[in-house]
Amino acid sequence: MDLSLSTRTVGDRTVVEVGGEIDVYTAPKLREQLVELVNDGSYHLVVDMERVDFLDSTGLGVLVGGLKRVRAHEGSLRLVCNQERILKIFRITGLTKVFPIHTSVDEAVAATD
Amino acid sequence: MATVELRFSALPEHVRTARLVAAAVARRAGVDEAVLDEVRLAVGEACSRAVGLHESHGLSAPVRVVLIEDEKKFSIEVGDEVTGSGAAAAAGGEESAGAGESDAEGEDEMGLAVISGLVDDVEVTSGEGGGRIRMSWPAHAAPILP
């Protein structure tokens, strides 16, 4: 399965809904999307990963890169994920301490800290 | 002898194929369903790393994946043809972490971090023919009936 991406705006947040597999082949598309959003002035991003089937370190790298970009503009990058197999990758790499991970888009959009 | 051997052009689009094949052979070998996600991720990481190494060294040689089914374990070897690649990785983090400013190097290290976090039995070696990552998982010899 390929990667699917769609974006929508909720208040001052931009929600990026990602579906499919994020790997060494598809991660560049996600990177492009995040870079484009930041270049267009969207600095508060919520990446909804509920429909992601697979995530590898290349995908993690892209998310870290996105976080770096929004932080340069005092923005935020929040993740939405409830899938244990995806959460596990964030845990073993210690990235749960780096990303705020929420259980729903509503929760992520409402979060302010 | 290898149960299944796979060679693919060192291109990112083929890594998914390697993941699918590895997971299919692992399932047949009796690796726990719960562990198959880890097998899929680990072999993907190893292959992504090999593809990256071949690309950065301008090698047109294919990446080699060997899947071996034993009585009690299932092993995967992913080989690249970059001399010294395994040794550099095996020598470990600190030195390369300081130098690893570029995205590619950072991702390479993250890939190895994921593999070592996922797999208990993993070995990274290097020889004249290139680097190799060998990983294994316990497998029950329960035969899967057709």
Side-chain angles (χ1 to χ4, degrees):
Chain A
M1 187 196 282
D2 213 350
L3 187 74
S4 70
L5 292 168
S6 68
T7 60
R8 65 181 192 277
T9 308
V10 182
D12 66 338
R13 311 287 165 101
T14 302
V15 179
V16 183
E17 195 182 294
V18 190
E21 301 188 337
I22 312 176
D23 73 353
V24 65
Y25 179 54
T26 61
K29 289 175 205 157
L30 178 60
R31 180 185 289 123
E32 273 169 35
Q33 173 77 85
L34 296 179
V35 168
E36 197 182 304
L37 285 170
V38 174
N39 287 346
D40 291 347
S42 304
Y43 303 140
H44 291 281
L45 307 179
V46 173
V47 178
D48 179 0
M49 305 184 67
E50 282 302 272
R51 289 175 48 243
V52 170
D53 302 312
F54 181 87
L55 173 74
D56 74 1
S57 65
T58 328
L60 292 177
V62 167
L63 292 172
V64 171
L67 182 65
K68 221 167 108 180
R69 282 194 168 79
V70 294
R71 276 190 177 164
H73 299 277
E74 289 171 16
S76 62
L77 193 157
R78 297 170 182 282
L79 304 177
V80 176
C81 182
N82 291 296
Q83 301 185 69
E84 187 48 38
R85 62 178 174 175
I86 304 287
L87 290 170
K88 186 175 179 181
I89 307 163
F90 286 94
R91 270 200 295 273
I92 61 174
T93 50
L95 288 173
T96 43
K97 298 186 195 96
V98 176
F99 290 104
I101 301 178
H102 300 273
T103 54
S104 71
V105 171
D106 288 348
E107 187 190 298
V109 167
T112 50
D113 55 344
Chain B
M1 193 198 137
T3 308
V4 171
E5 188 175 326
L6 178 71
R7 281 167 202 264
F8 65 91
S9 306
L11 295 168
E13 52 263 52
H14 300 315
V15 171
R16 180 170 188 263
T17 305
R19 288 202 302 269
L20 294 174
V21 172
V25 179
R27 178 180 283 124
R28 240 211 74 84
V31 173
D32 258 2
E33 282 293 322
V35 185
L36 287 179
D37 274 337
E38 294 177 10
V39 173
R40 202 174 286 126
L41 182 55
V43 76
E45 295 292 353
C47 289
S48 302
R49 179 174 178 273
V51 166
L53 284 168
H54 279 214
E55 281 185 337
S56 62
H57 287 77
L59 289 180
S60 58
V63 170
R64 183 164 169 258
V65 183
V66 180
L67 310 165
I68 305 155
E69 187 181 337
D70 283 331
E71 231 173 87
K72 289 188 177 163
K73 65 175 186 177
F74 172 69
S75 313
I76 301 180
E77 288 178 12
V78 176
D80 62 69
E81 298 200 359
V82 178
T83 309
S85 64
E94 287 180 35
E95 203 182 319
S96 49
E101 291 296 321
S102 79
D103 274 6
E105 282 178 66
E107 278 168 13
D108 173 30
E109 278 159 27
M110 191 125 73
L112 283 176
V114 169
I115 292 173
S116 50
L118 278 178
V119 190
D120 292 332
D121 180 24
V122 57
E123 190 182 73
V124 183
T125 54
S126 177
E128 281 189 15
R132 195 172 59 162
I133 297 179
R134 195 195 57 77
M135 310 168 271
S136 87
W137 291 265
H140 316 293
I144 297 171
L145 299 172

